[in-house]
Amino acid sequence: LRLPAELITGICEHLDLGTLFHVSRLNKYLWRLLRQTSSLEYLWERARIESGLPELTAAGMNVFEYANLVLGAAKYVSFVDHYAVLSQ
């Protein structure tokens, strides 16, 4: 069962950047809708602004790649920090 894109978009307008990132990774339908639809970049830009991340300045990187870089790296760093604490 797939929800209409308009309903998903309406819900995603209220999500923070981390939640939007994780929702976009739930399945192929949401991945395509949220990451490959250029008209929905405003969702990511709004979430980036509200999260306090600086404006994207890297040439050739879109807002989706920026979120992946920041959130993917943050998840890894958190795991490494957690592991370092546990192994002491």
Side-chain angles (χ1 to χ4, degrees):
L1 178 68
R2 289 194 179 162
L3 297 173
E6 297 81 16
L7 181 60
I8 293 171
T9 302
I11 292 168
C12 289
E13 288 176 349
H14 302 282
L15 301 179
D16 60 66
L17 185 60
T19 306
L20 182 60
F21 176 76
H22 292 295
V23 166
S24 74
R25 298 183 77 183
L26 287 175
N27 61 42
K28 288 180 184 180
Y29 174 69
L30 292 171
W31 174 271
R32 287 185 192 117
L33 176 67
L34 296 173
R35 293 189 181 217
Q36 296 179 349
T37 306
S38 60
S39 64
L40 295 182
E41 282 191 28
Y42 78 92
L43 290 173
W44 293 90
E45 190 61 26
R46 181 209 48 81
R48 180 201 59 80
I49 291 167
E50 288 184 5
S51 73
L53 283 176
E55 187 172 348
L56 176 64
T57 57
M61 183 179 282
N62 63 34
V63 68
F64 314 121
E65 292 166 341
Y66 186 37
N68 192 47
L69 175 69
V70 171
L71 295 168
K75 182 178 179 182
Y76 177 73
V77 169
S78 296
F79 173 76
V80 171
D81 292 342
H82 182 69
Y83 179 76
V85 170
L86 290 177
S87 63
Q88 291 180 353

